[in-house]
């Protein structure tokens, strides 16, 4: 009995030795498989993250392109408005120069009238203009001497604004 139990215990020990020798190999294979699965999962997460980042950048590109087009549209509208206002400003400057020239001429006439005050009598002018104005028609523009607020020696003020 002892010998049969000894053989039996020896074969069991051999089985234990062989299974314990295989256990490290199986453990290494199992760890290797787990590492491969983990690496694949990590690579999949990395690809998904990269794809999400690419999608975000593509969306941002579209948004920036739309904003750029809006800015260009507004800039063109403002530029056209600027050109229109600049043209209008140029016309107003030309009109101002013409009116300033006319004002200077009228002031010269007033100075001449004031200078020759003794030679030129406004009452005579009113009588002569009055006589001719009845032929043309009455009114301030036809006979400015009849306007009570107009005085021969009153200069016209230049109101040029810069």
């Amino acid at each position: 009995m002892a010998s049969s139990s000894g053989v039996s215990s020896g074969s069991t020990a051999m089985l234990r030795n062989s299974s314990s020798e295989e256990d490290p190999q199986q453990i290494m294979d199992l760890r290797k498989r787990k590492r491969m699965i983990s690496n694949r999962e990590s690579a999949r997460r990395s690809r998904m993250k990269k794809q999400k980042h690419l999608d975000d950048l593509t969306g941002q590109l579209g948004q920036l392109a739309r904003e750029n087009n809006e800015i260009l549209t507004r800039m063109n509208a403002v530029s056209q408005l600027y050109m229109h206002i600049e043209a209008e400003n140029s016309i107003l400057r030309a009109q101002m120069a013409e009116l300033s020239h006319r004002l200077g001429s009228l002031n010269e006439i007033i100075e001449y009238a004031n200078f020759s005050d003794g030679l030129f009598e406004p009452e005579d002018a009113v009588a002569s203009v009055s006589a001719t104005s009845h032929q043309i028609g009455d009114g301030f523009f036809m006979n400015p001497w009849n306007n009570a607020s107009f005085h021969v020696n009153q200069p016209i003020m230049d109101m040029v604004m810069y």
Side-chain angles (χ1 to χ4, degrees):
M1 271 207 260
S3 83
S4 76
S5 72
V7 171
S8 162
S9 70
S11 70
T12 308
M14 282 179 73
L15 285 175
R16 278 190 218 148
N17 280 343
S18 67
S19 69
S20 60
E21 288 175 7
E22 290 179 16
D23 279 346
Q25 184 65 35
Q26 285 177 348
I27 291 173
M28 298 235 329
D29 288 345
L30 183 62
R31 286 180 182 167
K32 195 175 190 180
R33 263 188 261 133
K34 283 183 180 180
R35 194 169 46 246
M36 270 182 24
I37 291 170
S38 176
N39 284 347
R40 283 181 186 161
E41 188 62 31
S42 177
R44 185 184 68 77
R45 283 193 309 265
S46 178
R47 284 190 302 271
M48 287 176 63
K49 185 177 175 183
K50 189 185 269 187
Q51 184 63 43
K52 183 183 179 316
H53 184 64
L54 181 64
D55 292 344
D56 290 346
L57 288 176
T58 303
Q60 190 177 7
L61 175 68
Q63 177 65 27
L64 290 174
R66 284 189 295 276
E67 288 178 16
N68 193 23
N69 285 336
E70 289 175 12
I71 289 171
L72 285 174
T73 302
R74 280 189 265 149
M75 194 171 99
N76 286 337
V78 168
S79 180
Q80 287 177 353
L81 181 63
Y82 172 78
M83 297 286 278
H84 175 73
I85 289 173
E86 188 65 33
E88 188 176 326
N89 197 15
S90 178
I91 290 169
L92 291 173
R93 283 182 183 152
Q95 288 175 347
M96 183 184 73
E98 175 62 28
L99 290 174
S100 293
H101 177 66
R102 285 183 185 180
L103 182 62
S105 297
L106 289 173
N107 280 332
E108 286 178 13
I109 291 170
I110 289 171
E111 283 181 30
Y112 180 74
N114 286 338
F115 177 71
S116 60
D117 197 17
L119 303 174
F120 180 71
E121 293 295 322
E123 292 80 24
D124 293 339
V126 170
S128 68
V129 170
S130 201
T132 58
S133 71
H134 290 294
Q135 297 168 359
I136 300 172
D138 288 333
F140 171 74
F141 293 108
M142 295 301 160
N143 191 357
W145 297 107
N146 286 336
N147 188 1
S149 66
F150 181 77
H151 301 286
V152 174
N153 61 356
Q154 181 181 14
I156 300 172
M157 299 305 292
D158 187 6
M159 294 185 59
V160 177
M161 290 188 254
Y162 296 98

